[in-house]
Amino acid sequence: MARYEIIGANGSHYIDVTGRDEWALLELAVAGPKGCTPIDNPAPRWSAYVHKLRDMGVDIETVHERHAGPFPGNHARYVMHSLILRAEAQDAA
């Protein structure tokens, strides 16, 4: 489990994340303003990861985009507007 400081328009707070939720948080941070899509960043449940991160107070925008091709339709692009900082591990001393 890793601890991150989330800094946004309403101040800052800490969250503890692990597994795919942490993976999604880091993917969003690396993507910056261009955001992530399940097409460019394959994962089975992007919407679930985003939902959980939002519940933890991470500011993530969903942008709906149309796509063409053999299976035209819509997809989501997720853009994080919070700044995240990895928190230092606390010694149990």
Side-chain angles (χ1 to χ4, degrees):
M1 184 173 299
R3 176 163 276 223
Y4 293 88
E5 182 178 8
I6 306 301
I7 303 169
N10 296 324
S12 69
H13 66 282
Y14 290 89
I15 63 171
D16 296 312
V17 292
T18 187
R20 284 290 193 162
D21 298 329
E22 183 181 13
W23 173 85
L25 181 70
L26 296 174
E27 288 291 304
L28 289 163
V30 168
K34 75 176 177 118
C36 294
T37 70
I39 296 167
D40 298 328
N41 306 75
R45 296 184 40 96
W46 259 107
S47 60
Y49 311 143
V50 168
H51 181 76
K52 287 165 98 177
L53 291 169
R54 284 179 178 149
D55 282 349
M56 291 182 227
V58 182
D59 183 10
I60 303 172
E61 174 187 12
T62 301
V63 179
H64 298 280
E65 300 177 337
R66 296 196 55 76
H67 60 263
F71 304 101
N74 298 304
H75 65 268
R77 178 176 299 277
Y78 301 107
V79 181
M80 183 167 63
H81 296 291
S82 298
L83 173 66
I84 65 163
L85 301 172
R86 178 83 186 243
E88 292 294 321
Q90 299 292 324
D91 289 335

